[in-house]
């Protein structure tokens, strides 16, 4: 099986409450491409530069036709007015072309420093928020397009300080107007960009962004309408043969189609977020031979870091990392840890109602063709609370919020799903009793409070 890097993405699953009789497994090519492009920072600016050249070429042709039409009609006074306006606009265009590149360098240098500070205070994973930010890409695109367009407009001005209206062939009227419009748009985007960058340095907006992406990934997972049959005996296996890396996403629709055509059931061995090395088992076939290697190509994406698109547990990993850093002795910021617990409880309050477990992707006839392993409820709870609990015993603000969050989740959970929550509650109580020697201190630390210490 090929392990080369391919466009990231996954299935766009219908959101069903209650679920439909069969779970769709066809992936939208557009959504896969969009997800891959969101993880890059070069595509939008390059597209903006190309668009700037195309627009300049089109407006240059229109300006030439306007001048030709005025000359044919003998409207030389109007031509003189256009030349006067173009002469005034030329000064602005020249200033813009000279200053814009310096402005771009200064703005984004400061922004990179801000991102570095945020990654040091929270977690290095917040850099992906900046990379995927639409306002960051749009701002850089407009800045670069303004710079490139102003240079192109300067080439449209004819030589001489006082061109003759009877001989002039082109006046960059529309080009100059668009340049002025791009300058105004750049100023507005600069304000929005600064505001967005400042929010990246705030704990609340970062946690909110991570939580929203995690919940979106959780809702994209298909919900099995009924118990699916267990895969039969393994009949074949495919190993990873590409470069080592993290399994980011899976092209579910291609795997389902390949399994349907060859009459087998496939099982994805690793989970999204697992690190693969050459030789690692990736797919197993049940009920027949594996589909030909050509049909299995470009069905998984292996990259250098995890993605939230098909890996909602990665959101919990980030929230836990931020809380652990806040609870470290070098930072000692329990309030940030409490904010992380707020978002963890929010995520788990949604997950507690979902039928978590292996995903069974079906073909159009309802037959299960692909089994994909995902974290179950107990694994999500352990990921959310295990490490934080180990560092929280000495901080009453965190233990009080921890207990309040567990109590809130216990009200929502069934008896079976309440077991891991009760286990973490008991372990937290034991840790506090071992850490806090005074009875009054233990009583205070073990009193549930949704604000920690209000």
């Amino acid at each position: 099986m090929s392990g080369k890097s391919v466009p990231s993405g996954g299935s766009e699953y219908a959101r069903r409450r209650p679920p439909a009789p069969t779970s769709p497994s066809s992936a939208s090519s557009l959504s896969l491409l969009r997800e891959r492009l969101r993880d890059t920072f070069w595509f939008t600016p390059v597209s903006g530069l190309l668009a700037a050249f195309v627009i300049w070429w089109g407006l240059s042709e229109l300006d030439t036709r306007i001048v030709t039409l005025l000359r044919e009609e003998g409207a030389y006074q109007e031509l003189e007015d256009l030349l006067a306006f173009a002469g005034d606009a030329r000064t602005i265009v020249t200033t813009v072309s000279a200053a814009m590149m310096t402005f771009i360098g200064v703005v984004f240098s400061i922004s990179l420093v801000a991102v570095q500070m945020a990654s040091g205070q929270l977690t290095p994973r917040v850099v992906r928020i900046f990379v995927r930010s639409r306002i960051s890409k749009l701002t850089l695109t407009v800045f670069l397009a303004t710079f490139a367009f102003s240079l192109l407009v300067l080439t449209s001005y004819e030589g001489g300080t006082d061109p003759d209206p009877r001989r002039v062939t082109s006046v960059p009227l529309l080009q100059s107007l668009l340049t002025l419009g791009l300058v105004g748009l750049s100023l507005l985007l600069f304000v929005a960009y600064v505001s967005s960058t400042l929010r990246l340095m705030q704990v609340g907006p970062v946690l909110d962004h991570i939580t929203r992406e995690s919940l979106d990934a959780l809702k994209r997972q298909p919900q099995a309408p009924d118990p699916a049959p267990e895969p039969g005996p393994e009949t074949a296996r495919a190993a990873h043969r590409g470069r080592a890396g993290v399994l980011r996403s899976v092209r579910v629709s291609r795997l389902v189609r390949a399994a349907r055509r060859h009459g087998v059931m496939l099982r994805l061995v690793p989970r999204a977020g697992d690190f693969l090395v050459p030789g690692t088992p990736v797919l197993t076939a049940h009920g027949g031979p594996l589909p030909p290697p050509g049909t299995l190509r470009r069905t998984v994406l292996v990259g250098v870091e995890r993605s939230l698109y098909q890996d909602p547990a990665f959101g919990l990993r980030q929230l836990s990392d931020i809380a652990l850093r806040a609870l470290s002795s070098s930072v000692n910021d329990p309030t940030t840890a409490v904010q992380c617990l707020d978002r963890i409880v929010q995520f788990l309050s949604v997950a507690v109602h979902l039928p978590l477990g292996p995903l069974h992707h079906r073909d159009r006839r309802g037959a299960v063709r692909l089994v994909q392993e995902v974290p179950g409820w107990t694994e999500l709870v352990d990921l959310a609370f295990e490490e934080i609990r180990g560092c929280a015993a000495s901080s009453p603000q965190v233990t009080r919020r921890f207990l309040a969050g567990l109590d809130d989740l216990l009200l929502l959970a069934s008896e079976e799903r309440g077991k891991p929550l009760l286990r973490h509650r008991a372990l937290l109580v034991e840790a506090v009793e071992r850490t806090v020697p005074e009875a009054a201190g233990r009583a205070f630390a073990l009193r549930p409070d949704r604000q920690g210490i209000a």
Side-chain angles (χ1 to χ4, degrees):
M1 179 176 179
S2 174
K4 296 181 181 179
S5 295
V6 296
S8 65
S11 301
E12 282 290 349
Y13 306 120
R15 301 179 181 178
R16 305 176 303 281
R17 286 183 183 273
T22 59
S23 64
S25 58
S26 59
S28 168
S29 299
L30 184 60
S31 68
L32 299 178
L33 178 62
R34 182 178 67 246
E35 185 64 20
R36 183 187 183 188
L37 294 179
R38 285 198 65 187
D39 285 330
T40 65
F41 204 78
W42 60 267
F43 178 77
T44 306
V46 171
S47 301
L49 289 175
L50 295 176
F53 177 81
V54 172
I55 293 174
W56 167 79
W57 180 81
L59 293 182
S60 179
E61 292 294 322
L62 288 176
D63 285 334
T64 300
R65 292 185 180 182
I66 290 174
V67 171
T68 301
L69 181 62
L70 291 176
R71 289 179 58 189
E72 290 176 352
E73 295 181 355
Y76 296 112
Q77 182 60 45
E78 287 76 3
L79 271 176
E80 288 184 2
D81 295 338
L82 291 182
L83 289 171
F85 172 81
D88 295 336
R90 183 174 187 175
T91 303
I92 300 177
V93 173
T94 303
T95 303
V96 170
S97 62
M100 184 56 71
M101 202 61 193
T102 303
F103 181 65
I104 294 173
V106 171
V107 169
F108 280 87
S109 295
I110 296 174
S111 301
L112 292 178
V113 173
V115 172
Q116 184 178 10
M117 292 177 60
S119 65
Q121 294 173 353
L122 302 176
T123 172
R125 262 66 64 185
V126 301
V127 176
R128 67 182 299 274
I129 299 178
F130 177 81
V131 173
R132 292 170 61 89
S133 171
R134 291 186 177 92
I135 188 64
S136 299
K137 295 176 183 178
L138 180 60
T139 302
L140 179 60
T141 299
V142 173
F143 282 6
L144 291 176
T146 302
F147 172 71
F149 192 81
S150 61
L151 292 180
L152 293 172
V153 172
L154 288 177
T155 64
S156 300
Y157 286 96
E158 297 190 359
T161 57
D162 190 17
D164 187 357
R166 298 178 182 274
R167 296 184 178 181
V168 69
T169 58
S170 178
V171 178
L173 171 65
L174 298 178
Q175 301 170 62
S176 300
L177 289 174
L178 182 57
T179 302
L180 298 178
L182 287 174
V183 171
L185 180 60
S186 298
L187 295 177
L188 293 176
L189 285 176
F190 172 69
V191 175
Y193 176 75
V194 170
S195 175
S196 175
T197 304
L198 290 176
R199 286 176 59 84
L200 183 62
M201 300 177 65
Q202 297 175 278
V203 177
V206 171
L207 299 182
D208 179 69
H209 183 91
I210 294 172
T211 306
R212 283 188 287 105
E213 280 200 325
S214 303
L215 291 175
D216 288 342
L218 194 64
K219 292 176 182 178
R220 278 193 294 267
Q221 291 185 357
Q223 310 302 321
D226 48 33
E230 290 293 328
E234 179 182 325
T235 55
R237 175 177 294 191
H240 178 58
R241 301 186 184 279
R243 65 188 180 96
V246 177
L247 177 60
R248 289 170 57 89
S249 58
V250 183
R251 286 183 175 270
V252 173
S253 60
R254 291 189 180 185
L255 289 173
V256 169
R257 287 197 299 268
R260 178 179 56 82
R261 285 197 298 265
H262 295 85
V264 298
M265 179 189 297
L266 299 177
R267 183 173 70 90
L268 187 70
V269 178
R271 297 191 315 204
D274 286 359
F275 191 85
L276 306 181
V277 297
T280 302
V282 177
L283 284 172
T284 60
H286 303 263
L290 275 171
T295 62
L296 299 180
R297 291 183 58 199
R298 303 175 65 84
T299 54
V300 299
L301 169 67
V302 175
V304 296
E305 61 180 358
R306 296 169 70 175
S307 169
L308 269 168
Y309 189 70
Q310 291 184 353
D311 187 10
F314 184 42
L316 284 180
R317 175 72 273 165
Q318 294 180 74
L319 295 174
S320 179
D321 286 346
I322 296 173
L324 291 173
R325 185 178 294 248
L327 291 174
S328 65
S329 58
S330 59
V331 178
N332 195 20
D333 182 14
T335 302
T336 295
V338 167
Q339 290 180 274
C340 292
L341 286 172
D342 292 340
R343 298 301 181 171
I344 288 173
V345 172
Q346 177 187 356
F347 178 89
L348 293 178
S349 67
V350 176
V352 72
H353 299 295
L354 301 179
L356 302 172
L359 303 180
H360 298 88
H361 303 279
R362 303 170 183 266
D363 59 19
R364 294 180 180 177
R365 297 181 179 179
V368 176
R369 294 301 181 185
L370 176 65
V371 179
Q372 182 181 3
E373 297 292 335
V374 297
W377 170 252
T378 300
E379 293 170 298
L380 291 178
V381 171
D382 290 341
L383 174 60
F385 294 132
E386 184 68 31
E387 293 176 302
I388 299 177
R389 194 195 69 243
C391 301
S394 59
S395 175
Q397 180 180 357
V398 180
T399 59
R400 289 159 64 97
R401 180 63 184 101
F402 204 125
L403 291 170
L406 289 174
D407 290 346
D408 288 341
L409 291 173
L410 284 168
L411 295 175
L412 301 174
S414 63
E415 181 179 356
E416 183 65 26
R417 293 203 167 179
K419 292 179 181 179
L421 299 173
L422 291 172
R423 177 171 59 85
H424 281 282
R425 197 183 198 287
L427 291 173
L428 179 61
V429 172
E430 292 178 6
V432 172
E433 290 176 346
R434 288 194 308 267
T435 305
V436 183
E438 302 85 1
R442 290 195 299 270
F444 181 81
L446 294 177
R447 186 180 305 139
D449 188 334
R450 291 190 181 91
Q451 294 188 36
I453 300 177

